[in-house]
Amino acid sequence: MKGRAEEADRTTARLTGLLADASTAAIDASGGHTGGVYLRSGTPGLLRLAVLSGLPGPLFRPWWRLHVDRRFPVADAYRLRRPVVLANATETMRRYPQFAAGLPFQFGSLYVPVGDAEATFGVLAALRPSVPDAADVLSARDRLMELADKLGAALAELETDGGSAVAWNDEPLGIRPPSVRASEQRIGRYTWDPSTDLVTADDRFHALLGLSAVEFRGTGRDLADAVAPEDGHRLLAALRDAAAGRAPALPLSLYTQGGALRLMEFWTSAALSPGAYRVSGVVRDPGPGGLGDAAADVLPEGVFSLDRLGVIVYVNQRAAELLGRPPAHLVGRSLWEGVPWLGQPAYEDHLRAALLSPAPVHFHVGRPPAEEGTPPPYRHGSGRLAMSIHPAPDHLTCTVRPADRMADASVALDTVSDAAATAAPAADPGGPTPDAGPAAHLYRPIVLAIALSEAVTARQVSAVVMQELLPAFGGNRLAIYLLQEQHLYLAWETGFPEGFLRPFEGVGLDAHIPGVETLTTGRPLFFDSMRQLAATYPGLALDADKGSRAFLPLIASGRPVGSCILGFDRPRSFSSEDRTVLTALAGLIAHAMEKAHRYDTEAALARGLQQALLPRRLSVHPEVETAGRYLPGTQGMEVGGDWYDVVTAGDGLALVIGDVQGHGVQAAATMGQLRSAVKAFALDDRPPDEVMSGTNRLLIDLDPGQFASCCYIRLDPATGLARTARAGHPLPLLRHPDSGTALCEVPGGVVLGVDPHAQYPVGELRLERGAILALYTDGLVEQPGLDIDDGIAALRAVLAEAGASAAGPDGGSLTAVADQLTATARHTADRPDDIALLLAVRRPGA
């Protein structure tokens, strides 16, 4: 047991070191100020931020977790295995509006997948200054890709050596980035070997801690004795944790025997023995030092400085008085730890702006009364303070003064950032951790509204609620019921025990249960514990004996839509803020569901129109078996223009497939006219080139403002000779009886409807008995972010495997082959384009 634990510690230490090195290297490679690594987690479909270099982790808590299927740059880079380059805020807003709404500041960013040929482990990310064009950051992208490749290889090796999948399930580690002014800082370096208890350090280390290099015996205990007594045990504990592979994420603030403040950092380095690692790090003087200290100390306004991790490294006396804390209680602590009342969403948003953008930020804050027992110099009444934050590469310099009219005439009363005059609230890309702070509650309406604007079906609306709302409040169960003919029917559920909700399906509005009463009364119901719920509704079946529940009415424009149930594993109290926000969110969900219902109704009518335009049955021939499939697109409610047909042509068969550009009624109407025209030419048994030319002229004469692709094949069933003509359509696929597949390299011309004099050369191919000919539209092989050649290669692989059973004596399994070729598309919730597929096989032995 002990051996496995030690091996796990070694693996964790190696993983931490690799990620820390990669995140800091990403800053230099990208020319930026922040680097980080997201890794897959133990929860399927969830990425977690593993390390963050150059930004305070707590301030970016809403971005700690990301769902891979959300429209965010990290998720896209991971899912599509392609870099995402966002040169500036404008490009970010255009491509990722939800992400931009959360961080509406002037910065650029790059995201590169980390993995190997077998798997994707995560994403390497870097934030950098904004530039006008993506071409300006291509070299940075290439350098970041090299780093990602090296990290991917190292993680693959680690996974092999450790025998388990590389994943991250903890909070992110905060890493201090390399300083651009390292030569100017007062920094001492050290290493500690836990096996010998020997500390090796440079001269600056000794000087900063007030040690004599000659008299210092160099053990961990001697080092602890060199600092203030109350800090010695903290220093030894941090050394032991680092030696066990658990280095503290933030620097340790401590005082020397002479009373000087120092910040000490601990890094895990090489393994010495099972469960023991060498520790290295630095000790630094946090203050700017010298005359700068003295000059700032006599200024009439408050001045303090933060490093890139949000730690206060300097504060003058006036700032300490205005903030209501002695300097010793501020320096060495994070801003929100030293000044807790600054940890409010609006203030945090300004701090994020200063960390991500180069422009100064000015805002007002409300100062609460001093706490009981505060010393006189720092005791004050409540009031407003005017604050300004001035960014620099390594730190933030802040000024603070009373917000009276005389002193503050230059600062607008409404707080704004020069970097983002209308800074939108912080968005949560995949749902913050269960203990997300008040920022999550205040910002959920805007985030949810943005996400719901992209959802058009009831299923998509429910998925958004699950991914955006439920995690924000720490919930793990969700049920959405919709009202139909005075009964409630389950539209979506997650987290409840299997079968638990079945008795409530189709329940009438006269039932005495909370899900019904919240809708009939229009009043949300909150239960802090399951005991409270059981007492209010005796006899009601409960899905757990612990936890809490919220029942929200879904009412849109005064009309009842349904009800929403949120479940929590632990008892919790719903504050007035929680209740207000959840009630408001229920209204957003109700309007989205109402819109989705209209969409579903109108989409059903549109699908009916589309189906009416497709052939009800295909022409048959005793020697040829055919099978066709059509799948409508699911994004938007407009019908598409894909079609297929099989027409008797003389003593043979005409196989036709086409795709009208665009969507909507006009595309469907054009498709119907083209299908009729091609069918008429085929029935007259015209040569393939004449069929294409005649259809092309017809489309130009109709002048619908659209073009179309088409593939026409005239097959002689007796000989297997197929004569083809193509108008800008994907090449057919041929599966030979021996399981090999090939693209049919037949000639083609331009799409229909462009050039009235276009020529369509005729090609030939031979269809052996038992071979399968596949015609398809681009919706089957195109995916956003992927090359169409990759999609065709994937289709060939499926055809090779699925077609093995179609070579039987009766060829009756061709429909099963068609189902297998479209299986992935059928199970894809969001299809941007419609899909048509036509298969033909000459029966063996006919």
Side-chain angles (χ1 to χ4, degrees):
M1 184 69 69
K2 182 179 179 181
R4 287 198 296 269
E6 291 174 346
E7 180 62 31
D9 285 344
R10 282 195 295 272
T11 301
T12 300
R14 285 180 59 190
L15 176 60
T16 301
L18 289 171
L19 300 180
D21 291 345
S23 65
T24 53
I27 296 176
D28 181 61
S30 65
H33 48 69
T34 302
V37 181
Y38 280 86
L39 284 186
R40 61 194 181 187
S41 70
T43 302
L46 187 69
L47 300 176
R48 295 188 73 109
L49 181 61
V51 297
L52 181 63
S53 178
L55 289 176
L59 197 61
F60 290 82
R61 180 182 291 270
W63 292 268
W64 283 6
R65 308 193 315 169
L66 288 170
H67 290 276
V68 298
D69 57 352
R70 299 301 295 156
R71 281 288 309 279
F72 281 82
V74 170
D76 278 1
Y78 179 87
R79 188 178 63 255
L80 302 177
R81 302 194 70 172
R82 292 197 169 202
V84 174
V85 178
L86 303 175
N88 48 54
T90 302
E91 178 72 2
T92 304
M93 177 60 77
R94 183 182 69 81
R95 296 176 58 185
Y96 299 98
Q98 281 182 256
F99 178 60
L103 296 171
F105 313 122
Q106 293 298 322
F107 69 96
S109 53
L110 302 123
Y111 309 86
V112 178
V114 174
D116 61 4
E118 302 297 327
T120 304
F121 302 114
V123 175
L124 180 62
L127 309 185
R128 66 185 313 279
S130 175
V131 293
D133 192 84
D136 299 330
V137 293
L138 292 183
S139 59
R141 178 205 62 187
D142 293 342
R143 290 192 296 270
L144 211 62
M145 290 175 65
E146 292 179 9
L147 273 178
D149 289 342
K150 293 179 181 177
L151 178 59
L155 293 180
E157 181 181 350
L158 179 64
E159 191 169 84
T160 300
D161 295 343
S164 60
V166 169
W168 191 271
N169 297 297
D170 300 319
E171 294 185 358
L173 298 178
I175 305 297
R176 191 173 304 280
S179 172
V180 299
R181 299 184 298 113
S183 60
E184 302 175 18
Q185 291 188 345
R186 293 173 287 176
I187 293 178
R189 303 183 182 278
Y190 74 94
T191 60
W192 177 59
D193 187 334
S195 63
T196 63
D197 195 27
L198 180 63
V199 176
T200 305
D202 60 18
D203 291 340
R204 286 188 178 181
F205 179 88
H206 294 102
L208 288 170
L209 290 183
L211 300 171
S212 168
V214 177
E215 298 176 0
F216 180 56
R217 291 179 299 176
T219 67
R221 168 50 61 185
D222 294 329
L223 187 59
D225 291 340
V227 300
E230 60 272 19
D231 292 333
H233 69 282
R234 297 170 56 233
L235 188 154
L236 288 175
L239 285 173
R240 287 193 294 267
D241 284 346
R246 302 185 300 273
L250 292 177
L252 181 68
S253 59
L254 46 84
Y255 287 86
T256 67
Q257 291 284 6
L261 176 68
R262 298 293 182 255
L263 297 181
M264 191 167 183
E265 301 186 34
F266 306 82
W267 308 323
T268 297
S269 57
L272 301 173
S273 62
Y277 306 89
R278 181 179 289 111
V279 177
S280 60
V282 298
V283 168
R284 62 192 184 98
D285 180 352
L291 294 175
D293 287 1
D297 282 340
V298 300
L299 288 176
E301 68 177 8
V303 178
F304 62 98
S305 183
L306 310 173
D307 68 6
R308 294 289 303 180
L309 294 187
V311 175
I312 302 173
V313 296
Y314 169 75
V315 59
N316 73 353
Q317 181 62 29
R318 181 56 175 154
E321 293 173 359
L322 291 172
L323 296 176
R325 294 286 192 282
H329 291 179
L330 294 172
V331 178
R333 290 179 168 84
S334 66
L335 181 62
W336 41 93
E337 179 187 3
V339 192
W341 47 269
L342 282 178
Q344 299 183 33
Y347 306 154
E348 290 180 345
D349 208 42
H350 292 304
L351 186 53
R352 278 189 285 264
L355 286 163
L356 296 177
S357 303
V361 177
H362 310 286
F363 58 99
H364 285 182
V365 299
R367 179 178 58 180
E371 297 176 357
E372 187 78 21
T374 303
Y378 313 104
R379 187 182 303 152
H380 52 72
S382 59
R384 292 174 64 82
L385 298 175
M387 297 190 69
S388 297
I389 305 178
H390 301 268
D394 285 338
H395 65 280
L396 306 176
T397 297
C398 311
T399 63
V400 56
R401 61 180 181 270
D404 58 78
R405 295 183 179 180
M406 293 294 293
D408 198 40
S410 63
V411 181
L413 186 61
D414 292 328
T415 68
V416 297
S417 161
D418 291 354
T422 56
D428 174 3
T433 52
D435 57 343
H441 296 165
L442 293 178
Y443 293 160
R444 296 279 32 111
I446 290 181
V447 176
L448 194 63
I450 294 173
L452 288 175
S453 68
E454 300 179 0
V456 293
T457 67
R459 181 178 181 84
Q460 291 170 346
V461 171
S462 301
V464 166
V465 175
M466 181 188 70
Q467 294 175 348
E468 297 290 347
L469 172 62
L470 200 62
F473 290 86
N476 65 335
R477 303 187 187 197
L478 169 71
I480 295 180
Y481 285 86
L482 297 182
L483 181 64
Q484 298 178 22
E485 298 180 352
Q486 301 301 301
H487 290 76
L488 287 175
Y489 295 92
L490 186 64
W492 179 280
E493 66 94 9
T494 183
F496 287 93
E498 184 178 357
F500 172 76
L501 296 176
R502 193 172 296 125
F504 304 102
E505 177 71 4
V507 67
L509 295 186
D510 56 350
H512 180 59
I513 58 176
V516 169
E517 293 194 358
T518 189
L519 180 62
T520 56
T521 64
R523 179 170 54 88
L525 303 174
F526 299 95
F527 299 94
D528 296 348
S529 68
M530 300 302 286
R531 180 180 300 178
Q532 183 184 8
L533 175 60
T536 308
Y537 293 90
L540 179 69
L542 302 179
D543 56 305
D545 57 357
K546 295 181 180 180
S548 53
R549 296 290 180 268
F551 299 83
L552 308 175
L554 301 182
I555 299 174
S557 303
R559 294 187 298 274
V561 174
S563 58
C564 176
I565 304 171
L566 302 180
F568 307 85
D569 267 350
R570 298 192 305 266
R572 60 164 294 168
S573 60
F574 294 92
S575 66
S576 58
E577 181 187 37
D578 289 337
R579 295 171 185 243
T580 300
V581 172
L582 285 172
T583 303
L585 295 178
L588 290 177
I589 298 168
H591 281 283
M593 279 296 184
E594 186 181 47
K595 180 185 71 174
H597 179 69
R598 291 198 303 269
Y599 165 85
D600 290 338
T601 301
E602 295 174 17
L605 294 174
R607 302 305 175 219
L609 170 63
Q610 176 74 20
Q611 292 296 331
L613 293 173
L614 290 171
R616 294 190 177 184
R617 63 181 183 87
L618 302 177
S619 296
V620 296
H621 192 282
E623 294 189 62
V624 179
E625 179 78 14
T626 59
R629 292 292 182 271
Y630 174 79
L631 298 177
T634 60
Q635 294 184 1
M637 66 180 72
E638 295 181 331
V639 294
D642 289 17
W643 90 94
Y644 63 87
D645 208 349
V646 178
V647 185
T648 300
D651 57 356
L653 285 178
L655 309 174
V656 188
I657 196 163
D659 182 0
V660 177
Q661 170 263 336
H663 298 85
V665 174
Q666 181 62 58
T670 301
M671 178 268 282
Q673 292 169 311
L674 293 184
R675 175 176 169 253
S676 297
V678 173
K679 186 170 186 177
F681 287 131
L683 289 171
D684 199 30
D685 203 12
R686 298 281 188 91
D689 56 333
E690 290 187 20
V691 174
M692 285 292 98
S693 298
T695 306
N696 178 50
R697 289 191 294 270
L698 172 66
L699 182 57
I700 292 174
D701 291 342
L702 292 173
D703 192 23
Q706 294 173 305
F707 58 85
S709 68
C710 185
C711 183
Y712 180 92
I713 297 181
R714 201 282 188 184
L715 174 65
D716 184 343
T719 65
L721 177 65
R723 305 182 71 239
T724 70
R726 276 192 319 118
H729 202 81
L731 292 169
L733 284 177
L734 184 62
R735 185 201 181 277
H736 301 292
D738 62 359
S739 299
T741 61
L743 273 175
C744 301
E745 299 287 352
V746 293
V750 299
V751 293
L752 305 175
V754 175
D755 179 6
H757 306 293
Q759 300 295 315
Y760 297 95
V762 175
E764 292 186 355
L765 59 90
R766 183 74 60 178
L767 186 63
E768 304 173 69
R769 294 195 182 276
I772 301 175
L773 183 64
L775 308 179
Y776 52 91
T777 56
D778 55 12
L780 186 59
V781 292
E782 279 190 336
Q783 295 183 37
L786 296 181
D787 193 275
I788 191 173
D789 291 338
D790 296 334
I792 293 175
L795 182 64
R796 287 180 61 178
V798 177
L799 179 61
E801 181 178 351
S805 60
D810 58 2
S813 61
L814 194 64
T815 56
V817 176
D819 289 337
Q820 291 183 62
L821 293 180
T822 56
T824 299
R826 278 201 315 274
H827 293 92
T828 300
D830 296 319
R831 292 191 298 271
D833 199 1
D834 47 348
I835 293 170
L837 172 71
L838 179 62
L839 302 179
V841 61
R842 291 178 69 211
R843 300 182 188 275

